[in-house]
Amino acid sequence: CIMIRRRRLRASENLRALVRETSVSASDLIYPVFVIEGKDIKNPIDSMPGIYQYSIDRLDEELDRIREAGVKGVLLFGIPAHKDECGTEAYNEHGIIQEAIRYIKKVFPELVVIADICLCEYTSHGHCGVIKDGIILNDETLPLLAKSSVSYAKAGADIIVSGAGLPTELPEYLKGFKTKMAPIVSSVKSAKVILKYWDRRHNATADMIIIEGPKAGGHLGFSVEELESELDYDNEIQGIIDVVKEYEKKYNKDIPVVVAGGISDKNKVKHAFDLGAQGVQVATRFVPTKECDADENYKKEYIKAKKEDIVIVKSPVGMPGRAIKNKFMEKVINGEKFTPKKCLGCLARCNPKEIPYCITERLIYAAKGKTDEALLFCGADAYKVNKITTVKKVFKELLEEKEF
């Protein structure tokens, strides 16, 4: 979830309304819209009372309602009529999301449209990638995600966030489109590299920067030494903001900066804004919520975790990450190796004879709720959560002057 500090930053009134400095209101929210192929369809979603799947010919009734309520932006999720192993409908030029984007931008041009770049709803197996014998193949999946991004941009999506390494050629892919580009960086160096490269090679710059800090979960763009030390990341954030200001001046545009990682309470939201950020991104707080579709056993591990259970680990892909020290991770830390049942070459540089465990195998265990055998990624403050809550309550706690 991204929370934006309000300020006039965008090319249209509604984009500016999403980031303007005001109290929280309907105009600050992004509303999920579920679009299904077919005609005259309005299917209720049992797990989300009051929310429906709409065919495009019935979208007007929902969009009219949210527009009247003052909502300025929508996040689209598609339900295709056809699914296959490669999720081809996700990047079909005439797929359900692509057609929905075109329709909304034609009939409701003032709405900000955000597309979810993911394959899971379009694959026959339900995973976000190409699968072989139950394993996601990264190298085969990335080009399909790129095709999806470009097809959404062609259809008229307003924003694309790119977090897979440094997206050096993204401006080229999106040339001629109005879609905004938002790369994720973790250091002054990476911000300088991507912005300088885009400037020199593509005569372009970012529309938004997301800073993923050392308190985030999962794989992290820092060394183990940096993560285990008291890294002065406030200076890094301010340094990135200074870099961004150079390109704001050169391109005569506002480039909002969003801070992610360790944003777990109201005080940390305020601190990010005090450093000069215009927004925050929150993830860990939303895992142990009723609305989150993670397995219940996964959520319970967050609730059970103590501060000393949140540890820095080195994954088989060669990057440090942050995870919960469960029974499996304790064994890994003690030197035990877990040879994968079968290696399918999903990572080019991975040698199954040398790695301590197969990361894909252990993440699948997490998704299935086999938490004693799983790799459980989490943010630094996961231990602070002590109960299953709701998304509404999380927002309330983040916006009030109190700890959770």
Side-chain angles (χ1 to χ4, degrees), residues 328-344:
F328 163 70
M329 189 50 62
E330 283 184 351
K331 294 177 181 178
V332 172
I333 292 172
N334 290 330
E336 190 170 340
K337 293 184 67 174
F338 296 83
T339 303
K341 295 179 180 179
K342 185 176 182 180
C343 178
L344 300 173

Side-chain angles (χ1 to χ4, degrees), residues 52 59 173 285 321 361:
Y52 299 84
L59 271 180
Y173 299 148
R285 285 298 316 272
E361 183 178 74

Side-chain angles (χ1 to χ4, degrees), residues 214-215 222 225-234 236:
K215 300 292 186 181
F222 302 88
E225 292 73 24
E226 287 174 325
L227 293 170
E228 291 179 342
S229 67
E230 290 298 323
L231 187 65
D232 184 5
Y233 202 65
D234 286 0
E236 200 73 19

Side-chain angles (χ1 to χ4, degrees), residues 251-272:
Y251 285 86
N252 192 29
K253 63 186 287 187
D254 289 313
I255 305 174
V257 174
V258 174
V259 172
I263 307 297
S264 56
D265 59 54
K266 169 73 176 184
N267 296 328
K268 292 183 179 180
V269 171
K270 182 179 182 300
H271 182 64

Side-chain angles (χ1 to χ4, degrees), residues 173-211:
Y173 299 148
L174 299 183
K175 185 178 291 185
F177 302 121
K178 295 180 179 179
T179 305
K180 306 300 182 184
M181 303 181 294
I184 298 176
V185 301
S186 293
S187 66
V188 171
K189 180 179 179 180
S190 59
K192 285 182 176 179
V193 168
I194 191 63
L195 294 178
K196 185 177 182 179
Y197 187 90
W198 283 6
D199 176 43
R200 291 189 173 183
R201 183 175 177 84
H202 302 293
N203 192 30
T205 195
D207 299 291
M208 178 169 70
I209 293 286
I210 298 175
I211 303 174

Side-chain angles (χ1 to χ4, degrees), residues 81-97:
H82 168 73
K83 299 185 180 186
D84 57 37
E85 292 186 354
C86 294
T88 53
E89 287 302 302
Y91 43 92
N92 180 353
E93 294 290 341
H94 299 286
I96 182 61
I97 287 295

Side-chain angles (χ1 to χ4, degrees), residues 212-220 222 227 260-262 284 312 321-323 378-380:
E212 185 175 79
K215 300 292 186 181
H219 288 128
L220 302 165
F222 302 88
L227 293 170
T284 293
I312 301 301
R322 180 173 283 105
C378 69

Side-chain angles (χ1 to χ4, degrees), residues 351-362:
N351 185 338
K353 295 181 180 180
E354 298 177 356
I355 59 172
Y357 59 91
C358 172
I359 187 170
T360 304
E361 183 178 74
R362 297 297 158 171

